[in-house]
Structures are given as structure tokens and as C-alpha cells.
Amino acid sequence: MSYQPPVQDLMFCIEHLSHWDKVSKLPAQADTELADVAAALEGFAQFCAEQVAPLSYVGDAQSAHFDKGRVTLPKGHAQAYAQFVEMGWQALPHPVDYGGVGLPRAAGAAAVEMLNAADMSFGLCPLLTDGAIEALLLTGSDEQKSKYLGPLISGRWSGTMNLTEPQAGSDLGRVATKAVRREDGSYGITGTKIYITYGAHDLTENIIHLVLARTPDAPAGPKGLSLFVVPQKLVGPDGTLGPENTVNCVSIEHKLGVRASPTAVLDYADATGFLIGQENSGLEYMFIMMNAARFAVGVQGVAVSERAYQRALVYARDRVQSRPVNGSVKDAVPIIDHPDVRRMLLRMRSLTEGGRAIAAASAGLLDLGHHQQDAETIALAEFMVPLVKGFCTERAVEVTSLGVQIHGGMGFIEETGAAQHYRDARILPIYEGTTAIQANDLLGRKVMRDGGATARRFAAQIAETEAELSGGDRTAQAIGQGLGLARAAFEDALDWLLENSKQNIDAAFAGSVPFLMLTGTLAAGWQLAQSALIAQNLQENGQDSPFLTQKIATALFYAQHILPDCTAEKTRILQGADSLLTAAFPE
Amino acid sequence: MSYQPPVQDLMFCIEHLSHWDKVSKLPAQADTELADVAAALEGFAQFCAEQVAPLSYVGDAQSAHFDKGRVTLPKGHAQAYAQFVEMGWQALPHPVDYGGVGLPRAAGAAAVEMLNAADMSFGLCPLLTDGAIEALLLTGSDEQKSKYLGPLISGRWSGTMNLTEPQAGSDLGRVATKAVRREDGSYGITGTKIYITYGAHDLTENIIHLVLARTPDAPAGPKGLSLFVVPQKLVGPDGTLGPENTVNCVSIEHKLGVRASPTAVLDYADATGFLIGQENSGLEYMFIMMNAARFAVGVQGVAVSERAYQRALVYARDRVQSRPVNGSVKDAVPIIDHPDVRRMLLRMRSLTEGGRAIAAASAGLLDLGHHQQDAETIALAEFMVPLVKGFCTERAVEVTSLGVQIHGGMGFIEETGAAQHYRDARILPIYEGTTAIQANDLLGRKVMRDGGATARRFAAQIAETEAELSGGDRTAQAIGQGLGLARAAFEDALDWLLENSKQNIDAAFAGSVPFLMLTGTLAAGWQLAQSALIAQNLQENGQDSPFLTQKIATALFYAQHILPDCTAEKTRILQGADSLLTAAFPE
């Protein structure tokens, strides 16, 4: 088995970090028991490991294929996707009212992680469909919901997001695709959209495109964008498929990674679209969806990290090379016995588990905020989202790079598979908003806008965890010490940024990415510290297991090896703005 | 022009950091003027930019091709290589006595950087030939030198290093290839060697393989290895080419990067080889050569970093996206005006120039040590080599990753070229000894063996630079402050490691890579600080230029943004050994 879904850790995170006690009491979750979640995840784990994971290497080698406007996926993908639909996996996190299973978001995140660990290219199709479902749920009319949600939630149709154009990437205000209202109330959509993940493929009978476009009389810039639903095949009132819409796939990209996933250039030639919500509110709707989409990409980061870790661990156990430095043995040993290989493996594991932990915690907050409409919970959830995206994706690049390194020369050979994770991971800090966009979101919208109130609550909660740790054993105290230093660095950086946001906004934003990385690193350390406390508590109550021992060890390693980065980031923020802003570049 | 060789910075490093005043007075250099070096580098720069750089993208897309034992390079490579030979570029750093130009090592490093920046795949062939030349110069018999050095130094023949076997990577003691002495004094070499860079190709009329093998009665382990020269085509006493040797290329690897460079599996079937030096001294000879080869790979790291930086800089100037955060302009601006893009570019530039600076400084020390046989200089030079390899290659992975990030979605599209650098760079921390091997070399051989004496001299020299900086202007003082904190972190780590090397060798080696990165980061910051002092001095003497202003800005950025990593590494070393050594891994 090339991928073993980490169901035990996923369930640990759901049970202990995702605010399960409150989430499970939400009206939407009245019937959900932990055992139901575990059963669903076990079933999906088997599907991912057996049906999807074997596609990953072949899919990468073959790549999605484009020929005369048609896109074909690599061998085996159509069959696996048909199984995915038949077993109803797309429905897991979606509302019961529209045919979903209605699992809480943390369970949905666990499913996203497993599918994307099995194969990121495969996982992208359902991930985009999830995004379209979320968009229609939040902003669609009743008619639109009844027409599109059923087939999307069943997985029979897939969804896409059409934002980017050649001149409009991070800067969506530059979107130029036109939408002209017709007499029948529909719109004629004309323009070119690029980087459309699964914009064309042969897995489903229809594709539902969500498209940002601009009506003729709309204001310039981001406030003149409207959101449209544009089905690839038009859908009759009774849900039957009609003629093909005028949306044409012009080409697909030749990419560094996720090569089985087609990235399409779509040409809209007066294609028939239907307005979602109000005109000129498109960007607002996009922002509502954005949290979910960004969160999901963060989870992809955890996914590819986990897969890379498992591969490296197997190799490190098998590969025999060199005697131990301590001279204890005269023969060569498996490389996992060498300190630096252990260091690399533990970095991989602790960064992966840290990412999983903040994903679970954030998922719980998102559910609670959404259902309870509690302002402080919503604010904290939204504060966490850029951390999940920024931390888990940037660290995925590091983790997959370590995965290559552990393999030595073998890591550079494509057949080994480690290199594929390194290539796949590289898109994660870019799409759904680059790391800099996440950092601007964190600093601008989530920190400055409320004068740091949410950030201070975040720090105060961490300080509570530190207090608990300080009363524990030596290990707990060591974790608490690392956490305390990192939290202090966060507060120093926060004070400085809030102060400078008033006088010197450029200086504040010069530190935005360091601040994002500091905060994400701290958040993951905090959740791992919580995990260690929980594990120790379970051990004291007689539930000892290697899993719990490892959980504590991971948290300690993270506190001592990863959290020290926070102080370095603080130094960059406090000292580094001038040198960054004033340096000239050669002509 | 897709690559502009940074001749001005290369010459700055040679003139001011490579101990030019002493190197140029060495007997071997009596005739070399700086102007001669500049002229040679300008000429080679033109060749690299015009003839080689255009091959890079095409070569990657086509890859080296294997068919029935024959390896063909991508289109254009043979012509460019023929030009390289015709113009005599291989000869630049090699001794005049054997047909070389005899430039000092720092100039040779500058040439290696430019060629590998133009195309790492292309650059690998001459780089391996350099290695074979160095090996024969240091350990070959007079007959071997007269037979092989001329054609190698002219570039008409190429060289290879045959160390690795499937079971023997980092652990060369496991080499199993057999060498059986024949009656005529030659040896029959039998075995399989893997990862042989340019082990088979169509660029030269002969290939000279240097092969580690084991004679029948040799002791087990690393002390039973002997080194052989095995020409692909046998060479007559008069230098004429004879019949093909029984060295067969079985296959080439399908790699993540440097795809135009063939990585061969070579089968030696009782091939005719000639002993170099004494039997059972092969590993010792390899270690003599190793410093040069590792140094060269470090320079490749600088090379690919420079290329990635230039590409990102052009893109950041051209790409217009989003308004400035300070609201100073209502329109979108080139992304180079956004603080975080500046941050990424300056990280790329300062890490690249820092790497170039330590390469130049180390090259000078290697020349001085070699020619003067001064123990302290040799020790410092050998202390620097793993820093050049470790720092420049690990940082190249980071720099090329930032290069992708600056391009946003475009960075993930292969046609852009940024992704290729990211793929190419990934081999650098692996081959010629992984980062962990460099770290063991630094800690075991270069630090512990002399009780830290060389390391303390290194720190003392840095403290002298700090003293100079403290008497300077605000910028100099700020650089000095960053350098001082980093040097203090180094000394704390050094004390701890020396102490633990006696009681707990595992704990010491648990921190070996963090120590390597700390020390390399510090060394580069030191050399950039020196560069800033020199630039300020030149400015005070009326030689102001944008180049000098940028050099000072780069040093300041490095001190404030990169040097803070040293303290984090120290914390990992001092606190992190227990958690690293005791953690268990899941079964």
C-alpha cells in the first residue's frame, strides 16, 4: 500500500481540536456521532488508498491530454471517478437538505486531506466542485440551488471557478470578461479565462462554471464584478441536459506539477450565463467563498506533506547506509538511525501534524461561527484561515523538499515518486491567493481592521495553554517554554505592526509575510501543545498507546525545532522594513 | 538576452574578497593581472550568454536521449560544446604546464558560475572534466598526466567520477566493483556504477572515467578502495585512440531536473583500467579531490540562484498588478513596487551574492593554502568548503522557489522557465555529498578534530569585521549588530557542540545540519559585511556607483533578514537534541 490514510490522527484532531463538544451540538449536527464520522472516514480512506493512490504516478507521467478542444484524463481516472460518484463521496460535507451527508467541516477536511494525499491531481476535481457547491449554497437563488446542487453534490457534475484572466491574477479588479444582459434575463458572457482547474475534462456529464465578469455599465475596478453560473451544457427546467454552451477549451497548460489535473484556458463566446445574486456584488460573493477555498488548499498542503512523509519514512527504514556516528555498531544501519535523517523525518512529521491540527481547529471554528453567528468566533475563524493556507502550503514546499533529500540521489529520479510531491506542492502557495495575498488578508483585514482585538484574543488563548503546560511534567514545561517565547515574539510583532500601520503602512506590509509565517507557525505549535496536553491526560487515564507517545514527542520536537523560527521572523519584522523598502534594483 | 552574466560582481568578489593581493603574488600567478582576469571573464560571459543560455529551455524539454547504449544530447549542445572547445574555455583554471591558462581558483569559480547559470545541464560536463583533471594532477603518474591531461584540459575529452553503486551512496565503503590485476599491469574492472553524470554522451571523442573499485585481496570497507582511470576508448602510447573499452551505458535516468545532462548507469565488464597511485588509497585520493568538487557544486548553487533572480527581476518589473498598499497611486503598479515582492527579490539577491562572496573568499584560501602549504590557511579553506557546498545549495533551493513564487501562476507553467531552475536546483544539496555529509565533514573533521581551533579563528576574524563596522555610519553599525548576534550564536553553538562531542556524540550530530546552516549563513553575512565596508571605502574615495550602493543595501538586508536565522539554528542545536534522538516512529 503506497498510502496509509492517517485516520487515527485525523480522528484525534476532530475529537480533541475541532471543538467537537460544541460542533456536535449544533442543530445541523444533532445526529452525528464520532463513531459515524470514524466509519465514514474509514470507508473513504479505503477508497483513497485502494482506488486513487495507485493513479498518482501514472497520472503524472501521462498528464491530462488536449486534442482539438477535448481534454482526456490519464488512464484509470474515469473509472476511479465513477466509483467516487457511485459511492457518494462528494456528498460527505454538504447539507442533508440537498442530498448531502452533512458531516461537520473538520470531517470534510479530513476527507479532502486523504483524497489529495492519495492524488492531488485527482483531488482537485471534487475540491473545485465543493467550491461551486459552497458558492451556490451561500449566494444562489432557490431555482439555481434546486437545479445545480443535486447533481453537483452527487458528483455527477463538477464545478469550476473562473476568476483569472491574463491581466488579472492577484488583481481581480482588472477582470475584463463582459456580461451583457439579454431580454430573457440571461447574460451573454464573452472573454478569456485562464488557469481554470478542471475547466474541461471527460469525468462528468456536465461542468458548472462560476464566472466573474463585468456588465457594460458596471463601475471600473473590483466593485464592478458580477458572478455568473455558466453550465457547459445548458440545463432544462426539469434538469435534463440541453445543447453545449459556447464555452470552448482553447488549450491546457504544461505544468510543473499536478499534471493529471487539466488547467484550461476557456474561451467564452457569448456563452449563456445566469446572474448569481445581485449585479456588482461578485467580488463580495467571491470573498464569502474564499475562506472555504483557501482553507481547502491549506488542507491540500497537509495532504501532500503527509504523503511525502510516509514515502520518506518507508525509504529511511529500508535503506541501509553507513555506520552510526556513535560507533555503537560496526555495520551499516538503516538511515533512520542517523540523527540527521531523524531530524528531517521529525520536521516533516511535526509540520504535517501541526498543519492538520490548525486545519481541524479552524474547521470547528468555521462551523461554530457559521451556525451560531457569534462575532468573536467568526473573527477568530477568519483569522485562522490565512494561517491554514499560508502555513500549510509554504511548509508543504519545505516538507516535500525534505522528502526528496531523505531519498538522496533516488529522490531526484522521477520513478521514486518523491520528486512528484515536490513538484505538486509548489502550486499550493500560489493558487487561491498567493502567500502574500494571505498575508495582506491577515494583516489588513483580520488584524488591523479590529485594531488587533482578535489577534490579542488568540494570544491570550495561547497563554492559557502555556499556563496549563507549566503545571505539567518536564516535557510539558519544555513545550510551554517554546510556546511562550514564540507567543511573546508574536505579541512584539503585533504591537509593532499595529503602531506602524498608522504611520508607515509600507513598513507594516514589508513584514506581512514574516508575520503570517510567525503566526501560522505559532498557531500550529499551540495546537500541537494542546494535543500533547490531551495525550498526557489520556495516558494518565490509562489509554496509553504508541500513538499518544508519538503525539507528545511531535509536540516537543515542534516546540524546540520549529517554534524558534518565530523569534527570527519577529526580528525581520521589527528591524527589516527600512532595508527592504529603500534598496534599489539594478537597471 | 535571457541571462546577463554578473561580471561586475564577480570581479568585485575576486578583487576584494578572494585575497587577491596575496593570490596574485603566488609564483603560479606571477603574470596574472586583474585586467587579464576581467578580459577572460568578459569573453567567457559572452559565450555563456549567447551560445549556452539559449540551450537551457530546449535542452530541458528534449532531455538527453538513450537508444541502444548510445546517448545523444539535445539539439544545439554538440555545436555549443564544439565552440567551447575551440575557444579553449576548459583550460581557464588549469596549470600552464599542461596547456591551461592558469587563472586563480576564484576566476575559475566565476567561470563555473557563469556557465552553470547559462545552463546547469551543459555546465556539468566541463565541471566533471575539471574534477578528473584535478584528480590526475594530484594523484596521477607522469605517464598518466602526459597521456590524459592535454586532451582533457583542451576539452576534447571529458571526464567522469564513478563512485556510486546501488548499495553504496553516501557510504562508499560498500563499493563492490572489482579490479583484478592483469599480467601487463593493467586491471580488469567489473561492476555496475550508477548516477554517472555525462557517463555517456556524443560531445567528445573520448571519455575518461575515474573509477573506485576493490582489488581481490583488499580489506573490507572504505580502506580497501583503489582508484582507476578507465578510458572509454583505449589510448595508445602516442595518444591515438584505440578500440572501445568494455564500458557500456545500460540506461540513463529520468530525472526531476538537469534533464539535458545524461545520468548514466555504466556496466564495467572486465574493462581495462589503470591504477592511480597506490592500491587501497582510493578513498584518500577521493577526499583530496572532494574539496574541489564540493566547492564547484556550491558554485552551481550560486549560478542557478543568479539565473532565477534575473528571471524574477525581469518579470517583477514587467508584470503590472494591484495598487500600492500605501494608496499613493490609484492605478495598478509593476509588482516590484509591492513590499513583499521586494522582500522576495532581496532575499534572492542577498542569498545569491552572499554565496558568491563565500565562494570567492574560499577559492582564494584554497589557492593560498595549496601553494603556501600554510596549515592555518589550509584549515580555514577546508573549513569553508562544506559551508560553500551546504549554504549555496540549500539556499539555491529556497532562492529558486522564491523565483517561482514571484511569477505567481506563471511560475508553475513550464514555458516560463522559473520552474526549471526550481527543478534543476534540487539535485545540488544531494550530489557530491548530501547536506548531512557536508555537516558531518564540518563538525567531525573541520571542527572537532582540532578542538575547535579553526572555528575560533573564523569567529575571531568576524569579530574584527564587527569592530570595523562599529566605527562606521548607521548602516555599517546596523550590519555589525546583526553580524555580532549571529557570531555570538555561532560561538554558543560551538561551545555546546565541543562539550557534547565528548559526552554525547549523538546529541552533537543531531545538530550538525543546523550548525552547518548557521555557520554558512554567518560566513556569507560576514563576507557581505566586508563587501559593504569595501564599497563604503570606495565611495569615500570618489568611486560612487549604483553597484556600490546596491552592494551596501544587500549587506544590510542580509544582516537584518537572513542573519536572524542563526539564532534560531543555535536554539535548535542547544535545545533540540533530546527530542530528536528519543522520538519513536510509527510502525
Side-chain angles (χ1 to χ4, degrees), chain A residues 265-279:
Chain A
V265 178
L266 293 185
D267 181 52
Y268 289 80
D270 195 26
T272 299
F274 305 95
L275 181 68
I276 297 182
Q278 306 295 314
E279 280 189 12

Side-chain angles (χ1 to χ4, degrees), chain B residues 319-400:
Chain B
R319 175 72 171 169
V320 171
Q321 202 79 169
S322 301
R323 288 181 291 176
V325 282
N326 63 19
S328 60
V329 181
K330 288 284 163 222
D331 290 323
V333 293
I335 61 171
I336 195 172
D337 291 346
H338 296 308
D340 193 63
V341 174
R342 295 176 64 84
R343 182 187 66 84
M344 291 191 279
L345 285 169
L346 287 165
R347 276 191 86 87
M348 295 178 80
R349 176 169 110 193
S350 64
L351 290 167
T352 305
E353 292 188 15
R356 183 178 295 132
I358 53 172
S362 306
L365 292 171
L366 286 167
D367 273 348
L368 291 177
H370 177 68
H371 289 287
Q372 299 179 333
Q373 289 299 317
D374 166 52
E376 285 199 0
T377 306
I378 292 174
L380 188 58
E382 293 187 345
F383 176 88
M384 293 290 283
V385 167
L387 306 185
V388 172
K389 167 65 158 88
F391 174 84
C392 297
T393 66
E394 289 284 348
R395 294 298 196 171
V397 173
E398 178 185 345
V399 167
T400 54

Side-chain angles (χ1 to χ4, degrees), chain B residues 96 104 229 313 367 406 586:
Chain B
V96 177
V229 56
L313 182 59
D367 273 348
I406 288 170

Side-chain angles (χ1 to χ4, degrees), chain B residues 130-163:
Chain B
D130 282 343
I133 293 167
E134 189 111 13
L136 287 164
L137 278 169
L138 291 168
T139 59
S141 67
D142 286 346
E143 189 211 335
Q144 287 166 341
K145 287 182 191 172
S146 78
K147 195 179 248 182
Y148 300 112
L149 282 177
L152 286 169
I153 287 174
S154 75
R156 284 194 300 114
W157 299 354
S158 73
T160 71
M161 296 285 175
N162 293 241
L163 285 64

Side-chain angles (χ1 to χ4, degrees), chain A residues 185-394:
Chain A
S186 73
Y187 288 72
I189 312 286
T190 304
T192 301
K193 292 287 182 178
I194 64 170
Y195 300 156
I196 309 307
T197 302
Y198 278 89
H201 62 84
D202 59 349
L203 297 183
T204 58
E205 59 201 39
N206 202 6
I207 303 174
I208 306 304
H209 305 293
L210 298 188
V211 184
L212 270 191
R214 193 180 290 284
T215 52
D217 50 353
K223 289 177 180 163
L225 296 172
S226 303
L227 186 63
F228 299 89
V229 56
V230 186
Q232 184 69 37
K233 284 181 186 145
L234 294 167
V235 182
D238 59 348
T240 53
L241 293 185
E244 192 89 11
N245 209 340
T246 49
V247 183
N248 297 304
C249 179
V250 177
S251 62
I252 63 173
E253 307 290 353
H254 171 217
K255 306 191 302 292
L256 173 61
V258 288
R259 291 185 177 163
S261 151
T263 301
V265 178
L266 293 185
D267 181 52
Y268 289 80
D270 195 26
T272 299
F274 305 95
L275 181 68
I276 297 182
Q278 306 295 314
E279 280 189 12
N280 299 335
S281 296
L283 204 69
E284 186 190 315
Y285 302 152
M286 291 306 304
F287 268 110
I288 297 174
M289 289 180 284
M290 216 75 107
N291 277 331
R294 290 176 172 179
F295 173 82
V297 172
V299 173
Q300 287 190 302
V302 180
V304 70
S305 297
E306 173 70 31
R307 186 74 185 272
Y309 170 65
Q310 290 192 15
R311 197 183 288 277
L313 182 60
V314 167
Y315 185 81
R317 282 226 169 83
D318 285 357
R319 175 71 171 168
V320 171
Q321 202 78 172
S322 300
R323 287 181 292 176
V325 282
N326 63 19
S328 60
V329 181
K330 288 285 163 224
D331 290 323
V333 293
I335 61 170
I336 196 171
D337 291 346
H338 296 308
D340 193 62
V341 174
R342 294 177 64 85
R343 182 188 66 83
M344 291 191 280
L345 286 169
L346 287 166
R347 276 191 85 87
M348 294 179 80
R349 177 168 108 193
S350 65
L351 290 167
T352 305
E353 292 189 14
R356 182 177 295 131
I358 53 172
S362 306
L365 292 172
L366 285 167
D367 274 348
L368 291 177
H370 177 68
H371 289 288
Q372 299 179 333
Q373 289 300 315
D374 166 52
E376 285 199 0
T377 306
I378 292 173
L380 187 58
E382 293 187 346
F383 176 88
M384 293 290 283
V385 167
L387 307 185
V388 172
K389 166 65 159 91
F391 173 84
C392 298
T393 66
E394 289 283 347

Side-chain angles (χ1 to χ4, degrees), chain A residues 1 3 20 53 395 473:
Chain A
M1 193 85 80
Y3 167 57
W20 182 257
R395 294 298 196 174
D473 66 4

